[in-house]
Amino acid sequence: MATTLYQRLGESAGIARLVDDVIAAHLSNPLVKTRFENAEDLEHTKKMATEFFCAGAGGPQPYTGKDMLTVHKGMNISEQEYLAVMDDIVGAMGKHQLDDATKNEVIGILYALKGQIIRV
């Protein structure tokens, strides 16, 4: 029987660990670390990212956060920052030894949202 993306990411607990590693990578990435160091409530950011990944991967948890356009409004995120964040996510997925098909599925979902994150 085929497994869902949610299952392949380790369900809620695995996704929470993945998000922790992604945020840790962002905090050490010189291109985006200031954005995360200056976040008002990093724990809330982690909670929303975990919910977002869970819901987006087909899990039963609802996403209670704002839509991507609203969340990123006025942030003036550059293409370079977007790619740095994507690299951090790919690195965290590698650390969690996710297979290429799973990584590619996550990348595809996040790439589809690019226009809602980067706005010129």
Side-chain angles (χ1 to χ4, degrees):
M1 178 161 91
T3 58
T4 65
L5 178 59
Y6 178 72
Q7 291 167 325
R8 286 179 278 138
L9 291 173
E11 299 185 352
S12 182
I15 290 170
R17 287 189 299 272
L18 180 64
V19 167
D20 282 343
D21 287 340
V22 168
I23 298 295
H26 293 344
L27 287 167
S28 63
N29 185 327
L31 292 172
V32 296
K33 76 183 213 170
T34 304
R35 290 191 182 270
F36 291 87
E37 289 172 339
N38 295 328
E40 272 185 40
D41 185 350
L42 199 53
E43 287 309 310
H44 179 73
T45 300
K46 287 181 183 182
K47 179 182 185 295
M48 290 297 98
T50 299
E51 281 185 12
F52 181 80
F53 269 86
C54 285
Q61 301 83 350
Y63 173 60
T64 62
K66 298 174 183 172
D67 63 83
M68 293 297 104
L69 283 171
T70 302
V71 169
H72 298 96
K73 184 177 182 176
M75 293 179 74
N76 299 316
I77 296 170
S78 70
E79 177 87 16
Q80 186 178 23
E81 289 172 309
Y82 173 82
L83 292 174
V85 164
M86 291 293 285
D87 285 345
D88 290 346
I89 293 168
V90 171
M93 290 191 296
K95 178 180 177 182
H96 287 255
Q97 299 179 337
L98 297 174
D99 62 86
D100 287 342
T102 299
K103 287 187 237 179
N104 289 337
E105 193 169 345
V106 170
I107 291 165
I109 292 167
L110 295 174
Y111 186 77
L113 296 169
K114 180 180 177 184
Q116 297 177 42
I117 297 167
I118 299 174
R119 292 193 314 250
V120 288

